Amino acid sequence: MIKANPWNSLLLSNYAKYLKDVRGDFMKAEEYCGRAILSNPNDGDVLSMYGDLIWQGHKDASRAETYFDQAVKASPND
């Protein structure tokens, strides 16, 4: 599906979530999250997941916090 729709943010984010939660492949999940953010930079769920991946994979609190802040701005009621 991703090959047929390489910029579909929903497909990209769902695959990133699968890679993170099921496969435990944080690096690949980070790649797909990044692509999903490029496709839809206002998706609070993806921004939050990306922040979590940055924290889990790199322990970069400042960078992770930036994505969490963007997620709150994108989805303030979520």
Side-chain angles (χ1 to χ4, degrees):
M1 290 294 294
I2 291 174
K3 284 182 183 180
N5 301 288
W7 293 106
N8 183 309
S9 64
L10 181 60
L11 292 175
L12 293 167
S13 64
N14 283 344
Y15 189 56
K17 184 167 178 52
Y18 164 78
L19 289 168
K20 177 182 175 264
D21 294 343
V22 176
R23 304 285 304 261
D25 188 344
F26 293 144
M27 297 305 290
K28 200 70 163 168
E30 189 178 326
E31 174 190 338
Y32 280 88
C33 254
R35 288 175 55 186
I37 290 169
L38 288 174
S39 180
N40 183 4
N42 296 315
D43 186 330
D45 290 331
V46 176
L47 290 164
S48 179
M49 181 175 22
Y50 195 68
D52 187 47
L53 287 165
I54 295 300
W55 174 246
Q56 299 236 2
H58 304 281
K59 301 297 185 216
D60 187 339
S62 175
R63 189 169 164 219
E65 183 178 24
T66 299
Y67 285 100
F68 289 134
D69 288 343
Q70 288 179 26
V72 170
K73 288 177 186 170
S75 300
N77 297 322
D78 187 3

PDB file of all heavy atoms in Angstrom, residues 15-38:
ATOM      1  N   TYR A  15       2.001   2.377   9.685  1.00  0.00           N
ATOM      2  CA  TYR A  15       3.136   1.474   9.546  1.00  0.00           C
ATOM      3  C   TYR A  15       4.215   1.805  10.578  1.00  0.00           C
ATOM      4  O   TYR A  15       4.820   0.899  11.164  1.00  0.00           O
ATOM      5  CB  TYR A  15       3.693   1.530   8.123  1.00  0.00           C
ATOM      6  CG  TYR A  15       4.718   0.462   7.853  1.00  0.00           C
ATOM      7  CD1 TYR A  15       4.420  -0.882   8.042  1.00  0.00           C
ATOM      8  CD2 TYR A  15       5.994   0.784   7.409  1.00  0.00           C
ATOM      9  CE1 TYR A  15       5.357  -1.876   7.803  1.00  0.00           C
ATOM     10  CE2 TYR A  15       6.943  -0.195   7.165  1.00  0.00           C
ATOM     11  CZ  TYR A  15       6.617  -1.523   7.367  1.00  0.00           C
ATOM     12  OH  TYR A  15       7.548  -2.506   7.136  1.00  0.00           O
ATOM     13  N   ALA A  16       4.429   3.083  10.829  1.00  0.00           N
ATOM     14  CA  ALA A  16       5.395   3.489  11.853  1.00  0.00           C
ATOM     15  C   ALA A  16       4.973   2.943  13.221  1.00  0.00           C
ATOM     16  O   ALA A  16       5.806   2.440  13.983  1.00  0.00           O
ATOM     17  CB  ALA A  16       5.519   5.004  11.896  1.00  0.00           C
ATOM     18  N   LYS A  17       3.697   3.031  13.524  1.00  0.00           N
ATOM     19  CA  LYS A  17       3.184   2.521  14.805  1.00  0.00           C
ATOM     20  C   LYS A  17       3.399   1.008  14.892  1.00  0.00           C
ATOM     21  O   LYS A  17       3.804   0.488  15.932  1.00  0.00           O
ATOM     22  CB  LYS A  17       1.708   2.863  14.961  1.00  0.00           C
ATOM     23  CG  LYS A  17       1.133   2.447  16.299  1.00  0.00           C
ATOM     24  CD  LYS A  17      -0.209   3.080  16.531  1.00  0.00           C
ATOM     25  CE  LYS A  17      -0.839   2.666  17.831  1.00  0.00           C
ATOM     26  NZ  LYS A  17      -0.030   2.810  19.009  1.00  0.00           N
ATOM     27  N   TYR A  18       3.142   0.299  13.796  1.00  0.00           N
ATOM     28  CA  TYR A  18       3.370  -1.145  13.751  1.00  0.00           C
ATOM     29  C   TYR A  18       4.853  -1.458  13.996  1.00  0.00           C
ATOM     30  O   TYR A  18       5.188  -2.336  14.794  1.00  0.00           O
ATOM     31  CB  TYR A  18       2.922  -1.695  12.392  1.00  0.00           C
ATOM     32  CG  TYR A  18       3.440  -3.071  12.099  1.00  0.00           C
ATOM     33  CD1 TYR A  18       2.862  -4.192  12.679  1.00  0.00           C
ATOM     34  CD2 TYR A  18       4.516  -3.253  11.235  1.00  0.00           C
ATOM     35  CE1 TYR A  18       3.346  -5.467  12.413  1.00  0.00           C
ATOM     36  CE2 TYR A  18       5.011  -4.514  10.968  1.00  0.00           C
ATOM     37  CZ  TYR A  18       4.426  -5.617  11.554  1.00  0.00           C
ATOM     38  OH  TYR A  18       4.913  -6.869  11.300  1.00  0.00           O
ATOM     39  N   LEU A  19       5.722  -0.732  13.307  1.00  0.00           N
ATOM     40  CA  LEU A  19       7.155  -0.965  13.469  1.00  0.00           C
ATOM     41  C   LEU A  19       7.593  -0.719  14.912  1.00  0.00           C
ATOM     42  O   LEU A  19       8.391  -1.470  15.470  1.00  0.00           O
ATOM     43  CB  LEU A  19       7.953  -0.061  12.526  1.00  0.00           C
ATOM     44  CG  LEU A  19       7.876  -0.405  11.048  1.00  0.00           C
ATOM     45  CD1 LEU A  19       8.452   0.721  10.212  1.00  0.00           C
ATOM     46  CD2 LEU A  19       8.601  -1.718  10.766  1.00  0.00           C
ATOM     47  N   LYS A  20       7.053   0.325  15.512  1.00  0.00           N
ATOM     48  CA  LYS A  20       7.420   0.684  16.892  1.00  0.00           C
ATOM     49  C   LYS A  20       6.856  -0.319  17.897  1.00  0.00           C
ATOM     50  O   LYS A  20       7.592  -0.855  18.722  1.00  0.00           O
ATOM     51  CB  LYS A  20       6.901   2.082  17.204  1.00  0.00           C
ATOM     52  CG  LYS A  20       7.143   2.546  18.624  1.00  0.00           C
ATOM     53  CD  LYS A  20       6.536   3.935  18.825  1.00  0.00           C
ATOM     54  CE  LYS A  20       6.642   4.368  20.257  1.00  0.00           C
ATOM     55  NZ  LYS A  20       5.445   4.106  21.014  1.00  0.00           N
ATOM     56  N   ASP A  21       5.552  -0.563  17.833  1.00  0.00           N
ATOM     57  CA  ASP A  21       4.867  -1.350  18.856  1.00  0.00           C
ATOM     58  C   ASP A  21       5.004  -2.861  18.686  1.00  0.00           C
ATOM     59  O   ASP A  21       5.096  -3.585  19.676  1.00  0.00           O
ATOM     60  CB  ASP A  21       3.384  -0.991  18.898  1.00  0.00           C
ATOM     61  CG  ASP A  21       3.140   0.439  19.351  1.00  0.00           C
ATOM     62  OD1 ASP A  21       4.055   1.063  19.937  1.00  0.00           O
ATOM     63  OD2 ASP A  21       2.025   0.945  19.115  1.00  0.00           O
ATOM     64  N   VAL A  22       5.000  -3.333  17.460  1.00  0.00           N
ATOM     65  CA  VAL A  22       5.004  -4.778  17.219  1.00  0.00           C
ATOM     66  C   VAL A  22       6.415  -5.295  16.931  1.00  0.00           C
ATOM     67  O   VAL A  22       6.855  -6.276  17.525  1.00  0.00           O
ATOM     68  CB  VAL A  22       4.048  -5.149  16.057  1.00  0.00           C
ATOM     69  CG1 VAL A  22       4.112  -6.627  15.742  1.00  0.00           C
ATOM     70  CG2 VAL A  22       2.625  -4.725  16.405  1.00  0.00           C
ATOM     71  N   ARG A  23       7.113  -4.616  16.039  1.00  0.00           N
ATOM     72  CA  ARG A  23       8.438  -5.086  15.635  1.00  0.00           C
ATOM     73  C   ARG A  23       9.554  -4.578  16.536  1.00  0.00           C
ATOM     74  O   ARG A  23      10.649  -5.124  16.523  1.00  0.00           O
ATOM     75  CB  ARG A  23       8.728  -4.675  14.195  1.00  0.00           C
ATOM     76  CG  ARG A  23       7.733  -5.125  13.141  1.00  0.00           C
ATOM     77  CD  ARG A  23       7.821  -6.587  12.765  1.00  0.00           C
ATOM     78  NE  ARG A  23       9.108  -7.006  12.312  1.00  0.00           N
ATOM     79  CZ  ARG A  23       9.471  -7.138  11.046  1.00  0.00           C
ATOM     80  NH1 ARG A  23       8.635  -6.869  10.085  1.00  0.00           N
ATOM     81  NH2 ARG A  23      10.675  -7.565  10.737  1.00  0.00           N
ATOM     82  N   GLY A  24       9.301  -3.490  17.265  1.00  0.00           N
ATOM     83  CA  GLY A  24      10.336  -2.910  18.112  1.00  0.00           C
ATOM     84  C   GLY A  24      11.463  -2.271  17.319  1.00  0.00           C
ATOM     85  O   GLY A  24      12.564  -2.079  17.827  1.00  0.00           O
ATOM     86  N   ASP A  25      11.183  -1.922  16.077  1.00  0.00           N
ATOM     87  CA  ASP A  25      12.190  -1.323  15.190  1.00  0.00           C
ATOM     88  C   ASP A  25      12.040   0.200  15.243  1.00  0.00           C
ATOM     89  O   ASP A  25      11.382   0.816  14.400  1.00  0.00           O
ATOM     90  CB  ASP A  25      12.007  -1.846  13.764  1.00  0.00           C
ATOM     91  CG  ASP A  25      13.120  -1.434  12.826  1.00  0.00           C
ATOM     92  OD1 ASP A  25      13.882  -0.504  13.155  1.00  0.00           O
ATOM     93  OD2 ASP A  25      13.216  -2.041  11.736  1.00  0.00           O
ATOM     94  N   PHE A  26      12.656   0.815  16.254  1.00  0.00           N
ATOM     95  CA  PHE A  26      12.497   2.245  16.471  1.00  0.00           C
ATOM     96  C   PHE A  26      13.111   3.082  15.352  1.00  0.00           C
ATOM     97  O   PHE A  26      12.577   4.130  14.995  1.00  0.00           O
ATOM     98  CB  PHE A  26      13.097   2.662  17.811  1.00  0.00           C
ATOM     99  CG  PHE A  26      12.377   2.104  19.005  1.00  0.00           C
ATOM    100  CD1 PHE A  26      13.068   1.732  20.135  1.00  0.00           C
ATOM    101  CD2 PHE A  26      11.000   1.936  19.006  1.00  0.00           C
ATOM    102  CE1 PHE A  26      12.415   1.220  21.251  1.00  0.00           C
ATOM    103  CE2 PHE A  26      10.329   1.425  20.099  1.00  0.00           C
ATOM    104  CZ  PHE A  26      11.039   1.068  21.228  1.00  0.00           C
ATOM    105  N   MET A  27      14.228   2.630  14.804  1.00  0.00           N
ATOM    106  CA  MET A  27      14.889   3.405  13.748  1.00  0.00           C
ATOM    107  C   MET A  27      14.025   3.463  12.485  1.00  0.00           C
ATOM    108  O   MET A  27      13.859   4.524  11.889  1.00  0.00           O
ATOM    109  CB  MET A  27      16.270   2.824  13.430  1.00  0.00           C
ATOM    110  CG  MET A  27      17.230   2.891  14.601  1.00  0.00           C
ATOM    111  SD  MET A  27      17.443   4.565  15.279  1.00  0.00           S
ATOM    112  CE  MET A  27      18.346   5.340  13.974  1.00  0.00           C
ATOM    113  N   LYS A  28      13.487   2.335  12.085  1.00  0.00           N
ATOM    114  CA  LYS A  28      12.635   2.310  10.893  1.00  0.00           C
ATOM    115  C   LYS A  28      11.329   3.052  11.164  1.00  0.00           C
ATOM    116  O   LYS A  28      10.825   3.763  10.300  1.00  0.00           O
ATOM    117  CB  LYS A  28      12.366   0.855  10.489  1.00  0.00           C
ATOM    118  CG  LYS A  28      11.923   0.692   9.072  1.00  0.00           C
ATOM    119  CD  LYS A  28      13.065   0.983   8.133  1.00  0.00           C
ATOM    120  CE  LYS A  28      12.775   0.426   6.769  1.00  0.00           C
ATOM    121  NZ  LYS A  28      13.709   0.926   5.779  1.00  0.00           N
ATOM    122  N   ALA A  29      10.789   2.902  12.370  1.00  0.00           N
ATOM    123  CA  ALA A  29       9.569   3.625  12.746  1.00  0.00           C
ATOM    124  C   ALA A  29       9.815   5.125  12.699  1.00  0.00           C
ATOM    125  O   ALA A  29       8.959   5.892  12.234  1.00  0.00           O
ATOM    126  CB  ALA A  29       9.118   3.210  14.139  1.00  0.00           C
ATOM    127  N   GLU A  30      10.984   5.555  13.136  1.00  0.00           N
ATOM    128  CA  GLU A  30      11.341   6.976  13.085  1.00  0.00           C
ATOM    129  C   GLU A  30      11.348   7.477  11.638  1.00  0.00           C
ATOM    130  O   GLU A  30      10.857   8.570  11.349  1.00  0.00           O
ATOM    131  CB  GLU A  30      12.713   7.157  13.732  1.00  0.00           C
ATOM    132  CG  GLU A  30      13.114   8.573  13.932  1.00  0.00           C
ATOM    133  CD  GLU A  30      14.456   8.691  14.629  1.00  0.00           C
ATOM    134  OE1 GLU A  30      14.791   7.848  15.489  1.00  0.00           O
ATOM    135  OE2 GLU A  30      15.171   9.658  14.310  1.00  0.00           O
ATOM    136  N   GLU A  31      11.866   6.666  10.742  1.00  0.00           N
ATOM    137  CA  GLU A  31      11.897   7.030   9.317  1.00  0.00           C
ATOM    138  C   GLU A  31      10.475   7.231   8.775  1.00  0.00           C
ATOM    139  O   GLU A  31      10.187   8.231   8.114  1.00  0.00           O
ATOM    140  CB  GLU A  31      12.601   5.933   8.518  1.00  0.00           C
ATOM    141  CG  GLU A  31      12.555   6.144   7.021  1.00  0.00           C
ATOM    142  CD  GLU A  31      13.051   4.937   6.224  1.00  0.00           C
ATOM    143  OE1 GLU A  31      13.800   4.106   6.781  1.00  0.00           O
ATOM    144  OE2 GLU A  31      12.658   4.824   5.055  1.00  0.00           O
ATOM    145  N   TYR A  32       9.588   6.294   9.063  1.00  0.00           N
ATOM    146  CA  TYR A  32       8.225   6.394   8.541  1.00  0.00           C
ATOM    147  C   TYR A  32       7.429   7.506   9.216  1.00  0.00           C
ATOM    148  O   TYR A  32       6.592   8.141   8.583  1.00  0.00           O
ATOM    149  CB  TYR A  32       7.513   5.039   8.619  1.00  0.00           C
ATOM    150  CG  TYR A  32       7.925   4.150   7.479  1.00  0.00           C
ATOM    151  CD1 TYR A  32       9.037   3.328   7.581  1.00  0.00           C
ATOM    152  CD2 TYR A  32       7.230   4.167   6.274  1.00  0.00           C
ATOM    153  CE1 TYR A  32       9.442   2.545   6.522  1.00  0.00           C
ATOM    154  CE2 TYR A  32       7.629   3.386   5.209  1.00  0.00           C
ATOM    155  CZ  TYR A  32       8.739   2.575   5.335  1.00  0.00           C
ATOM    156  OH  TYR A  32       9.138   1.811   4.264  1.00  0.00           O
ATOM    157  N   CYS A  33       7.706   7.750  10.483  1.00  0.00           N
ATOM    158  CA  CYS A  33       7.074   8.879  11.170  1.00  0.00           C
ATOM    159  C   CYS A  33       7.509  10.186  10.514  1.00  0.00           C
ATOM    160  O   CYS A  33       6.689  11.081  10.301  1.00  0.00           O
ATOM    161  CB  CYS A  33       7.484   8.910  12.635  1.00  0.00           C
ATOM    162  SG  CYS A  33       6.225   8.391  13.760  1.00  0.00           S
ATOM    163  N   GLY A  34       8.787  10.295  10.230  1.00  0.00           N
ATOM    164  CA  GLY A  34       9.301  11.492   9.566  1.00  0.00           C
ATOM    165  C   GLY A  34       8.625  11.727   8.235  1.00  0.00           C
ATOM    166  O   GLY A  34       8.256  12.862   7.895  1.00  0.00           O
ATOM    167  N   ARG A  35       8.431  10.668   7.485  1.00  0.00           N
ATOM    168  CA  ARG A  35       7.741  10.791   6.192  1.00  0.00           C
ATOM    169  C   ARG A  35       6.290  11.208   6.383  1.00  0.00           C
ATOM    170  O   ARG A  35       5.756  12.028   5.628  1.00  0.00           O
ATOM    171  CB  ARG A  35       7.828   9.474   5.420  1.00  0.00           C
ATOM    172  CG  ARG A  35       9.223   9.204   4.884  1.00  0.00           C
ATOM    173  CD  ARG A  35       9.361   7.859   4.217  1.00  0.00           C
ATOM    174  NE  ARG A  35       8.400   7.644   3.149  1.00  0.00           N
ATOM    175  CZ  ARG A  35       8.251   6.498   2.506  1.00  0.00           C
ATOM    176  NH1 ARG A  35       9.012   5.453   2.838  1.00  0.00           N
ATOM    177  NH2 ARG A  35       7.360   6.364   1.563  1.00  0.00           N
ATOM    178  N   ALA A  36       5.641  10.650   7.406  1.00  0.00           N
ATOM    179  CA  ALA A  36       4.243  11.005   7.685  1.00  0.00           C
ATOM    180  C   ALA A  36       4.130  12.478   8.085  1.00  0.00           C
ATOM    181  O   ALA A  36       3.196  13.169   7.677  1.00  0.00           O
ATOM    182  CB  ALA A  36       3.673  10.115   8.787  1.00  0.00           C
ATOM    183  N   ILE A  37       5.096  12.967   8.858  1.00  0.00           N
ATOM    184  CA  ILE A  37       5.091  14.372   9.269  1.00  0.00           C
ATOM    185  C   ILE A  37       5.289  15.282   8.064  1.00  0.00           C
ATOM    186  O   ILE A  37       4.636  16.320   7.948  1.00  0.00           O
ATOM    187  CB  ILE A  37       6.155  14.625  10.355  1.00  0.00           C
ATOM    188  CG1 ILE A  37       5.732  13.950  11.657  1.00  0.00           C
ATOM    189  CG2 ILE A  37       6.374  16.126  10.571  1.00  0.00           C
ATOM    190  CD1 ILE A  37       6.815  13.906  12.718  1.00  0.00           C
ATOM    191  N   LEU A  38       6.163  14.891   7.159  1.00  0.00           N
ATOM    192  CA  LEU A  38       6.347  15.684   5.938  1.00  0.00           C
ATOM    193  C   LEU A  38       5.062  15.744   5.133  1.00  0.00           C
ATOM    194  O   LEU A  38       4.741  16.768   4.536  1.00  0.00           O
ATOM    195  CB  LEU A  38       7.478  15.105   5.083  1.00  0.00           C
ATOM    196  CG  LEU A  38       8.893  15.308   5.610  1.00  0.00           C
ATOM    197  CD1 LEU A  38       9.886  14.552   4.739  1.00  0.00           C
ATOM    198  CD2 LEU A  38       9.241  16.777   5.680  1.00  0.00           C
TER     199      LEU A  38
END
